Amino acid sequence: MRKPFIAGNWKMNTNYTSALGLARRLVEQLKGIDTVDSAICVPFVYLQAVSSTLSSSNIALGAQDVFYESNGAFTGEISCEMLKDVGCTYAIIGHSERRHVIGETDVVINKKVRAAIAGGLLPIFCVGELLEEREAGKTEDVVVSQIRKGLEGVDPERVQAVTIAYEPVWAIGTGKTATAEQAQQVHAMIRSLVAEMYDKNIAERMRIQYGGSAKPSNTTELMANPDVDGLLVGGASLKVEDFSAMIKTVA
Ligand code: PGA
């Protein structure tokens, strides 16, 4: 049985005061919930402060990205070791905004996934198709290619650290959620791909999150799918009431 995993992606939002306030109120709201794994992925500069706030809670800390080298002349980048040092458990890797706004390639994303696992972070590895790709009937091709390239060279022992997040790009921040059927269809396809790349046991244990306008009103429907094991939540994770309601619903 896969334990549900709900993660919030704050993106480039909050400031020092609101980040701490949000984290503090979430800790209060989610006290005692242990049937769902939860995490918040916070802007780099607030990780350390939020880490202290979360220290006595069940909520894990995540970063929104990580670089693949461990130190050196890489101006502006943040290593795995640095993230571990401030208390991170997870790192989002390959988010569509990094793929399509920043221009990250599958090769870079693969290096990040491998470095994160090697460094002891748990990657939340994001994949998903653009609207034009869905409309052209290319969803499966795109997602399969992103997963094959993103997990290239990741051996079976190590791949168990990975959570895959399926986030159709057309559903992110648009208010347009994939229907439960659309999500289930891609999630089931991802699970059989993982079984083919690794084995059935690994595929059965792998958690696959859905992301893209997930909110309290669609949580039950999305999570009712047999292959939807959790949610990666953007906008709704910035509202304490919404994010905690989603976790409580799943719990
Ligand atoms: P959204 O973002 O929930 O605001 O659509 C999800 C994500 O990008 O992870």
Side-chain angles (χ1 to χ4, degrees):
M1 206 36 209
R2 298 178 293 270
K3 187 173 182 185
F5 175 28
I6 314 277
N9 173 10
W10 290 6
K11 308 193 180 183
M12 199 173 70
N13 291 299
T14 69
N15 57 31
Y16 182 81
T17 307
S18 65
L20 282 190
L22 193 50
R24 199 173 306 121
R25 285 162 60 215
L26 276 177
V27 170
E28 282 162 22
Q29 285 292 322
L30 300 178
K31 214 168 261 166
I33 295 183
D34 56 8
T35 51
V36 176
D37 285 338
S38 61
I40 48 178
C41 301
V42 171
F44 286 135
V45 289
Y46 307 130
L47 283 169
Q48 180 145 32
V50 169
S51 178
S52 315
T53 308
L54 299 184
S55 62
S56 59
S57 79
N58 290 331
I59 308 169
L61 186 65
Q64 299 172 15
D65 187 29
V66 59
F67 195 56
Y68 50 77
E69 296 288 351
S70 52
N71 55 59
F74 303 102
T75 302
E77 295 297 341
I78 303 287
S79 72
C80 231
E81 289 74 5
M82 291 170 179
L83 295 178
K84 295 268 294 176
D85 200 24
V86 295
C88 284
T89 303
Y90 295 97
I92 297 175
I93 297 176
H95 189 277
S96 74
E97 286 144 20
R98 298 209 61 86
R99 290 178 187 268
H100 301 295
V101 182
I102 317 287
E104 274 187 22
T105 62
D106 288 307
V107 172
V108 166
I109 291 163
N110 174 248
K111 285 188 186 181
K112 291 183 172 186
V113 168
R114 288 157 59 163
I117 302 172
L121 281 175
L122 305 176
I124 299 175
F125 164 48
C126 302
V127 298
E129 81 287 3
L130 297 164
L131 181 59
E132 56 266 35
E133 293 166 336
R134 174 160 285 263
E135 287 174 346
K138 291 189 183 145
T139 298
E140 181 165 340
D141 291 351
V142 169
V143 171
V144 167
S145 160
Q146 288 173 337
I147 292 178
R148 284 197 185 279
K149 291 175 181 162
L151 296 181
E152 201 176 307
V154 178
D155 63 33
E157 289 73 49
R158 295 195 160 197
V159 81
Q160 319 212 22
V162 175
T163 297
I164 294 180
Y166 168 58
E167 299 203 303
V169 180
W170 47 271
I172 296 177
T174 58
K176 241 188 184 180
T177 321
T179 63
E181 296 71 35
Q182 285 171 325
Q184 170 57 26
Q185 195 179 29
V186 178
H187 281 231
M189 185 275 291
I190 292 173
R191 200 176 305 287
S192 51
L193 174 65
V194 173
E196 185 192 314
M197 291 170 66
Y198 295 94
D199 66 39
K200 199 158 187 303
N201 278 336
I202 289 174
E204 282 305 316
R205 266 179 284 154
M206 163 112 22
R207 292 193 290 196
I208 307 173
Q209 293 177 324
Y210 167 82
S213 300
K215 48 187 177 265
S217 60
N218 56 31
T219 296
T220 305
E221 196 191 348
L222 287 164
M223 290 297 295
N225 288 297
D227 291 295
V228 177
D229 308 312
L231 303 168
L232 182 54
V233 187
S237 74
L238 293 167
K239 297 181 199 133
V240 179
E241 296 72 25
D242 285 2
F243 191 58
S244 53
M246 293 167 84
I247 292 173
K248 287 175 186 170
T249 300
V250 176

